[in-house]
Amino acid sequence: MASAFPSGEMAHVDAKGAVVETPSLLGGPAHSHKAPQPRSDLHLPGVRGREQPRPGDLSEEEVDERLDALIGGAVLPYEARDPPQDLDELRRRTDVEIDRDFEPFPHVVSACGVTFISERRVDRNFLDAVTKVTAEMFADAAGIDVDRQLHVMRQCYCYRATCYILYGDHPDTDVTPTKFTRATNSVCDCIGYGVAHRQPMEVLEHVLHHVTDVGMHYEFPEWRLSEGSQLHVVMRRAIDDKGIYNVERYKDYGSWRVRVELQEFAWWLIATYWDLLEELGHRGGPDDDEWKLLTREELEDTLPDAIELCKATVDKVLVAPDRQSLMYFKQFEGAVPSPVAITFESNGTRQTVKFNYQPLGFEYRRSRMWQWCPARRSRLVKVSKVEAHEQAATKGVKSGAVIRQINGQDVTGIGQFRKLLSDALAAFPEANRD
């Protein structure tokens, strides 16, 4: 899934994404698995670096300047924190910590240089499993160039690769990181928790987006997020010559387009190279409109240059995670109920807001004003109070707004609205207040 922030906030591709000379590709040995680094509760250097600003430290103009400097609208063009003296410390997985600077994603874990920030309602076992899979990808396995692998993790850490985790699927929520979070971290995409299908690959895809966009981009010239890199050359061959990668859906991404196309191509490439697509039921195959291949054998036959690229780079630093670790995520599929969509009207303008948990954060009452409903008159239902910092306030609901619809059904009176709302919230979870 491509990163999808509001189009009005698209950033300029910074010149620091320029291509450097690409060395010749060399074959690499196949690797075998070793057990991943055992879990450690040792606290790594803080999520914020020594000079990392906090919300409120930067003016709006300074935040916008940093957004404009991001490579492809996502990747920091400078190191934002110092690495630990012993890079092996980056292999360790951290327990959940609370960092309110990342609101509305205050739950924070990390592994192998990648930081994961999540909404409160995401199951902590899910967060633990995300760091486990990440650690398995960076296992010290046979054939791995350990020094190069550690430096990929270092790049992820120093350039603050930060993946946010939504409670629910991306189309069902309007929760996104703040401009400040995006301006001070390399936020490339998000994981949806509790999606209806393909939860294992939902996780793996978006972990890999941050590893390739940040770690591989800065460690391997072949993986630069810019035109002319080896990754870009192979991608264009997949698009123009082989017709196996369709990028039509990214045509409106403006200055983000090259980065997003390379990000998605890198994911498809590695997942196919690791032979995971067919087994785990992700998109792909003859009926798919983005990626046409399912197996490594098909990749070898169709795009041999991609195989050589992976042997020369991926095999040196990454390992396919354990299948059981990926399948563990199946239990979370469908864990999030469908959002409740409520349409409000203020000053003649309607706004539909998707609520994902309780409390919704507003109170309502019957207005003194009347409205005409089928065969009768009824009084309008209006928002009487919006609780500060609660869900409704963060989504822009205003006191005094008229409630027009709930889940697409017109509101005809307060009794009917109360019944519709009660039915819709029957399966909704309460907010975690940590």
Side-chain angles (χ1 to χ4, degrees):
M1 178 180 68
S3 182
F5 293 114
S7 58
E9 297 180 358
M10 283 189 173
H12 174 66
V13 179
D14 188 80
K16 292 193 178 183
V19 184
V20 299
E21 185 176 353
T22 302
S24 59
L25 299 178
L26 302 174
H31 48 63
S32 60
H33 289 281
K34 290 183 181 178
Q37 180 78 11
R39 185 181 182 90
S40 170
D41 294 327
L42 178 66
H43 180 67
L44 290 175
V47 172
R48 286 183 292 276
R50 185 172 54 212
E51 299 179 0
Q52 175 73 0
R54 302 190 63 175
D57 290 348
L58 302 177
S59 68
E60 185 174 347
E61 292 76 15
E62 289 172 323
V63 169
D64 288 339
E65 286 177 2
R66 292 188 180 219
L67 287 171
D68 288 342
L70 295 174
I71 298 170
V75 180
L76 291 177
Y78 53 84
E79 293 189 2
R81 58 182 168 185
D82 296 328
Q85 289 187 340
D86 182 0
L87 292 181
D88 264 314
E89 291 184 10
L90 294 176
R91 294 186 185 277
R92 298 184 173 116
R93 299 155 52 206
T94 64
D95 287 322
V96 175
E97 297 179 352
I98 307 300
D99 190 336
R100 302 197 186 281
D101 285 358
F102 282 119
E103 290 283 9
F105 302 92
H107 287 187
V108 182
V109 294
S110 64
C112 302
V114 182
T115 298
F116 300 93
I117 60 176
S118 84
E119 293 190 73
R120 290 175 174 83
R121 296 162 307 286
V122 174
D123 192 309
R124 294 192 179 202
N125 291 324
F126 183 89
L127 299 180
D128 187 70
V130 169
T131 63
K132 181 175 186 290
V133 163
T134 305
E136 288 179 356
M137 286 171 49
F138 283 98
D140 180 3
I144 289 293
D145 182 334
V146 175
D147 184 65
R148 208 75 191 267
Q149 184 187 66
L150 287 171
H151 277 80
V152 171
M153 289 187 276
R154 179 199 181 279
Q155 310 292 24
C156 289
Y157 182 84
C158 291
Y159 290 89
R160 301 179 62 84
T162 303
C163 179
Y164 66 102
I165 301 178
L166 292 168
Y167 183 79
D169 207 351
H170 199 286
D172 292 335
T173 179
D174 48 13
V175 180
T176 60
T178 64
K179 289 177 64 175
F180 175 84
T181 294
R182 291 167 45 208
T184 55
N185 299 274
S186 295
V187 182
C188 306
D189 212 329
C190 63
I191 295 170
Y193 162 80
V195 298
H197 307 288
R198 63 179 183 81
Q199 184 73 81
M201 300 299 261
E202 171 74 10
V203 171
L204 183 61
E205 174 181 354
H206 298 104
V207 174
L208 274 173
H209 283 347
H210 290 79
V211 171
T212 59
D213 276 15
V214 185
M216 301 287 279
H217 163 77
Y218 279 114
E219 185 59 25
F220 289 100
E222 301 97 316
W223 285 74
R224 289 287 189 265
L225 296 172
S226 50
E227 296 180 357
S229 69
Q230 186 67 25
L231 181 66
H232 187 267
V233 170
V234 175
M235 181 188 75
R236 292 312 313 180
R237 188 168 293 127
I239 297 169
D240 301 327
D241 299 340
K242 303 299 182 178
I244 60 172
Y245 181 40
N246 182 352
V247 295
E248 181 66 18
R249 69 183 65 187
Y250 307 125
K251 66 180 181 180
D252 296 326
Y253 274 65
S255 59
W256 296 18
R257 181 170 181 172
V258 171
R259 191 267 303 175
V260 173
E261 288 178 352
L262 286 169
Q263 168 185 289
E264 302 301 319
F265 177 71
W267 146 248
W268 288 121
L269 174 58
I270 294 174
T272 309
Y273 183 71
W274 283 346
D275 240 340
L276 295 174
L277 292 182
E278 187 171 39
E279 178 183 357
L280 292 176
H282 200 40
R283 298 180 310 237
D287 296 327
D288 188 78
D289 65 348
E290 181 168 304
W291 183 251
K292 301 298 184 182
L293 307 182
L294 278 175
T295 67
R296 176 167 174 157
E297 182 179 2
E298 291 175 342
L299 184 65
E300 290 173 341
D301 292 341
T302 308
L303 206 61
D305 287 354
I307 295 290
E308 292 305 310
L309 176 62
C310 288
K311 287 180 177 179
T313 54
V314 175
D315 281 353
K316 294 184 181 300
V317 294
L318 297 177
V319 179
D322 185 81
R323 299 300 201 272
Q324 287 187 332
S325 298
L326 290 174
M327 293 304 293
Y328 175 82
F329 291 105
K330 293 289 288 183
Q331 67 183 291
F332 299 103
E333 289 182 348
V336 178
S338 299
V340 174
I342 301 179
T343 300
F344 303 88
E345 183 176 333
S346 295
N347 299 321
T349 300
R350 293 195 176 194
Q351 171 195 18
T352 299
V353 175
K354 295 178 180 179
F355 294 90
N356 300 89
Y357 57 89
Q358 300 185 71
L360 304 188
F362 71 89
E363 298 176 7
Y364 58 92
R365 61 175 173 79
R366 184 171 55 185
S367 170
R368 295 178 180 178
M369 298 177 62
W370 294 88
Q371 64 178 340
W372 286 101
C373 300
R376 66 184 181 88
R377 267 194 329 166
S378 176
R379 283 182 175 163
L380 299 171
V381 180
K382 301 183 73 172
V383 176
S384 58
K385 182 181 180 181
V386 177
E387 297 288 345
H389 309 300
E390 293 287 357
Q391 195 174 185
T394 63
K395 295 172 182 286
V397 177
K398 303 297 183 184
S399 181
V402 176
I403 301 173
R404 290 299 188 185
Q405 291 185 329
I406 178 168
N407 289 338
Q409 187 167 345
D410 289 340
V411 173
T412 59
I414 194 165
Q416 177 242 19
F417 174 71
R418 190 176 289 125
K419 175 65 166 60
L420 290 174
L421 185 62
S422 175
D423 291 346
L425 297 182
F428 252 40
E430 294 286 341
N432 185 325
R433 295 299 183 182
D434 286 347

